[in-house]
Amino acid sequence: CYYYRLNRSQREKYNELISTKTIQYNINIKLDLIVKREQDRYIRALTIPPGIATNRAFSENLFVMLVGLATKTPTIIVGRPVFIVVLYAKINLLKYTDIIPMLKKRWDDAVEFQDTLRKVAKQKEGDKKKDPISPAGNAANATSNRSVVLWLDEVGLAEHSPHRPLKVLHKLLEDGNPTIAFIGLSNWKLDAAKMNRMVLHQVTQPDDQEL
């Protein structure tokens, strides 16, 4: 929640601080290595299409988004335009996308869609109990494991609207037990009232070696 909010120089200072504090207890924690090892684990679990460079920005984007989806934690990725690829691994993801004009309506539609998936899974589970040989059990598991995500691209542009359509996010993102996942992409940070309601990944610019 904290590490990915920092820029590159801040991350280096944070890593040094964690290492200094933990060495006092005879524990040598290299936070950046721990994070990278976990990101690499996600990369190895996926099939990466040809032509995709698994550099730091890609690995971080993928890691942050998948964790946000799995835990239904509202997440925003901020940085200069980057090519983001969503990969489908050994989990079922349904992406519910649309433009912002009726944000609350889209949110409600996504919640309703998630509820429908749960009802279908419950019905199929009931069919399986009536007929144990039926393949409905596997279908029920597949349906119940699907997560709906409201995906908003270029969120920052809506900040310029005099109608302030993003203000509705304040209430929607405060739900302590969210029904759906939320991922936002923006070229710049939003106001603090919105940013503090989401996990922020600040995409750092690639250095010469990464390029």
Side-chain angles (χ1 to χ4, degrees):
C1 293
Y2 183 72
Y3 180 83
Y4 289 103
R5 300 179 73 96
L6 307 176
N7 60 36
R8 181 169 296 187
S9 62
Q10 290 171 332
R11 290 184 186 185
E12 292 175 356
K13 294 178 181 178
Y14 185 57
N15 288 329
E16 183 179 349
L17 177 64
I18 294 295
S19 179
T20 302
K21 293 295 184 182
T22 56
I23 202 72
Q24 300 174 4
Y25 303 96
N26 296 321
I27 304 173
N28 189 13
I29 292 182
K30 300 293 185 182
L31 186 63
D32 54 339
L33 297 181
I34 294 175
V35 171
K36 185 179 186 307
R37 186 164 61 239
E38 191 67 9
Q39 290 172 175
D40 291 345
R41 187 171 71 88
Y42 276 56
I43 292 291
R44 289 195 300 270
L46 302 172
T47 301
I48 309 296
I52 301 297
T54 56
N55 57 19
R56 177 173 47 82
F58 177 83
S59 300
E60 289 184 359
N61 285 342
L62 189 67
F63 176 75
V64 171
M65 285 192 293
L66 288 180
V67 171
L69 292 173
T71 61
K72 293 184 172 62
T73 302
T75 304
I76 184 166
I77 297 176
V78 175
R80 296 178 184 175
V82 290
F83 183 69
I84 298 177
V85 178
V86 180
L87 299 171
Y88 294 78
K90 298 176 181 177
I91 53 178
N92 294 308
L93 300 175
L94 285 179
K95 187 172 69 171
Y96 192 93
T97 51
D98 210 323
I99 309 175
I100 296 182
M102 299 175 64
L103 182 55
K104 178 66 165 63
K105 178 65 166 60
R106 298 307 171 196
W107 185 286
D108 291 341
D109 288 346
V111 170
E112 182 179 354
F113 187 38
Q114 182 73 77
D115 290 340
T116 299
L117 288 176
R118 290 174 178 170
K119 291 176 182 177
V120 171
K122 189 173 183 180
Q123 180 180 356
K124 290 179 179 179
E125 184 65 27
D127 294 340
K128 179 188 177 185
K129 292 179 180 178
K130 295 178 183 178
D131 182 7
I133 305 179
S134 170
N138 291 333
N141 289 335
T143 304
S144 62
N145 287 336
R146 286 176 175 171
S147 293
V148 177
V149 52
L150 183 63
W151 191 289
L152 298 181
D153 194 6
E154 298 289 0
V155 184
L157 294 179
E159 288 260 284
H160 299 295
S161 170
H163 304 292
R164 303 178 68 189
L166 295 183
K167 191 172 179 60
V168 69
L169 285 176
H170 293 188
K171 182 177 184 299
L172 297 175
L173 296 177
E174 285 178 349
D175 188 356
N177 187 25
T179 304
I180 62 171
F182 174 85
I183 302 287
L185 304 179
S186 178
N187 292 347
W188 55 81
K189 292 182 181 180
L190 310 181
D191 65 75
K194 299 177 186 67
M195 300 299 283
N196 290 337
R197 288 172 165 86
M198 295 180 278
V199 168
L200 163 65
H201 175 212
Q202 181 169 278
V203 181
T204 58
Q205 293 304 298
D207 56 26
D208 292 343
Q209 182 178 357
E210 289 171 332
L211 289 173

